[in-house]
Amino acid sequence: MNRPIGVIDSGVGGLTVARELMRQLPKEKLIYVGDTLRCPYGPRPKEEVIQFTREMVDFLLEKNIKMLVIACNTATAFTLEMLRNELDIPVVGVIQPGARAAIKTSQNQHIGVIGTEGTISSQAYPQALKHINPSIHVNDLACPRFVPLVEMGVLEGEDAYQVVAESLVPMKEQNHIDTLILGCTHYPLLSSTIQEVMGNDIKIISSGDETAREVSVLLEYYDTFSNGYHPPQHEFYATGDRALFENIANAWFDSPVEHIEIITLGT
């Protein structure tokens, strides 16, 4: 089935998931929507996140997508079950895959989670982790300064290190954790700095790899793998600054990103 897979995010963070989807599923066409104009979603009220997410989904449904990937932890926490009930296509979030990866990785069952205010307040990760293993110990921390840093393209260097180091002080004090979930898809863009601050003994988990595996399983289950013979022409849409989106995308992907368009969502 040569219909595309839709991927949505509050901004550029979901590109970390999109890259892994491209790597694992090279025949599948992706249509990516990043709401860069209204990013970040983390501090926004739940109702607003739901509204903005619906607007991105409606845009993608017009593109006849065969599956939706919510590549935003805040949107996953607030809308995943709702969208699964409303849509007649498979809907994949990033929280459950990230939780599963962390449990497989942790040796001492002490896991840290960092994310936006919305994701952390939702308690979606502790619930997902404890649903799998009730004996898991979870320490979570909101890092509201990370997403604006990434959206500005400040991914490395002294400024990035200072923000990350200051933000992670409470998590570093939890010196019994051995695994840290990057509970926001923007955070892998800061992963080298986060690893430097936390130290090499801490295993860093981002959900892109596991999310792509889940997408692959669902494509097989529903027999909807693309059977195209030519490399897919992915499409990227953003609601904010095109040049900034393009710069970050080109820095993150192995080849230049084409077909970037600026769209308007809502009224």
Side-chain angles (χ1 to χ4, degrees), residues 65-263:
I65 59 173
K66 63 184 176 184
M67 184 184 297
L68 174 68
V69 178
I70 310 175
C72 171
N73 285 265
T74 304
T76 296
F78 291 157
T79 71
L80 178 63
E81 293 306 318
M82 176 190 72
L83 291 172
R84 280 178 171 170
N85 290 330
E86 293 178 358
L87 302 180
D88 60 0
I89 57 174
V91 182
V92 177
V94 288
I95 290 175
Q96 285 286 348
R100 287 195 296 269
I103 286 177
K104 286 193 296 184
T105 301
S106 179
Q107 298 297 309
N108 68 3
Q109 298 189 344
H110 285 76
I111 295 173
V113 181
I114 55 175
T116 67
E117 300 100 310
T119 299
I120 298 302
S121 66
S122 76
Q123 288 294 287
Y125 270 102
Q127 291 169 15
L129 290 162
K130 290 181 179 293
H131 179 73
I132 299 169
N133 183 350
S135 64
I136 287 287
H137 300 276
V138 185
N139 296 99
D140 53 11
L141 175 69
C143 298
R145 298 170 68 189
F146 285 10
V147 171
L149 200 67
V150 170
E151 291 289 327
M152 290 186 296
V154 182
L155 308 180
E156 295 179 312
E158 185 177 340
D159 291 342
Y161 184 90
Q162 182 176 352
V163 169
V164 171
E166 291 174 356
S167 298
L168 292 181
V169 167
M171 187 60 69
K172 287 205 65 168
E173 292 174 349
Q174 304 294 331
N175 55 15
H176 47 274
I177 70 165
D178 71 345
T179 304
L180 179 66
I181 298 175
L182 305 185
C184 172
T185 51
H186 282 74
Y187 294 4
L189 291 158
L190 293 167
S191 60
S192 61
T193 304
I194 293 170
Q195 186 77 74
E196 183 181 0
V197 169
M198 293 300 297
N200 291 328
D201 292 339
I202 304 298
K203 300 296 184 183
I204 303 294
I205 300 295
S206 60
S207 56
D209 187 38
E210 290 291 323
T211 301
R213 286 197 186 96
E214 185 162 323
V215 169
S216 181
V217 168
L218 288 171
L219 290 173
E220 183 173 8
Y221 178 80
Y222 290 105
D223 193 23
T224 52
F225 276 114
S226 173
N227 57 9
Y229 296 101
H230 301 289
Q233 294 295 312
H234 305 297
E235 298 175 23
F236 296 87
Y237 298 89
T239 58
D241 184 85
R242 185 184 190 279
L244 184 58
F245 183 94
E246 186 174 22
N247 289 340
I248 295 173
N250 287 337
W252 190 242
F253 291 135
D254 297 327
S255 57
V257 173
E258 301 176 351
H259 307 291
I260 301 174
E261 294 184 30
I262 301 302
I263 59 172

